[in-house]
Amino acid sequence: GLNLSEDHWQELHALQEYYSRRDDQISVRELHDALDERFHSKGGYKYLFGLFPGGPIAQGCRLAGLEPPAGAVDRGFGSVV
């Protein structure tokens, strides 16, 4: 139900880029920090929650075609385990 703007696409591409550089298990904390840093000038992780109310990691990963890492919280569906 989201109308994807350029900012949405930037976050989805950032997730795909992060995943492409990782061979090991994805850490929710490291991914959170990477997104917060990447979007710091716009408000960081808080800004991303405005774009993805289901969670920048959980909802963002699903929309980017990625498997959300274990421990990613999605308020609509609970934790991903």
Side-chain angles (χ1 to χ4, degrees), residues 25-41:
Q25 189 172 357
I26 303 295
S27 164
V28 173
R29 174 92 265 74
E30 287 179 19
L31 182 52
H32 173 282
D33 291 346
L35 289 172
D36 191 45
E37 182 179 332
R38 175 115 180 224
F39 292 91
H40 178 75
S41 66

Side-chain angles (χ1 to χ4, degrees), residues 5 11 28 34 39 42 45 47 49-50 53-54 59 63 68 72-73 77-79:
S5 68
E11 200 251 345
V28 173
F39 292 91
K42 294 185 178 191
Y45 205 71
Y47 168 75
F49 257 107
Q59 186 178 24
L63 291 172
V73 175
F77 298 99
S79 295

Side-chain angles (χ1 to χ4, degrees), residues 1-15 35 39 44-65 73-76:
L2 294 176
N3 291 323
L4 299 181
S5 68
E6 182 61 34
D7 288 343
H8 287 93
W9 286 109
Q10 286 180 10
E11 200 251 345
L12 297 177
H13 291 296
L15 287 168
L35 289 172
F39 292 91
Y45 205 71
K46 183 176 180 179
Y47 168 75
L48 294 176
F49 257 107
L51 293 177
F52 296 96
I57 295 178
Q59 186 178 24
C61 282
R62 281 196 309 277
L63 291 172
V73 175
D74 183 327
R75 292 183 182 139

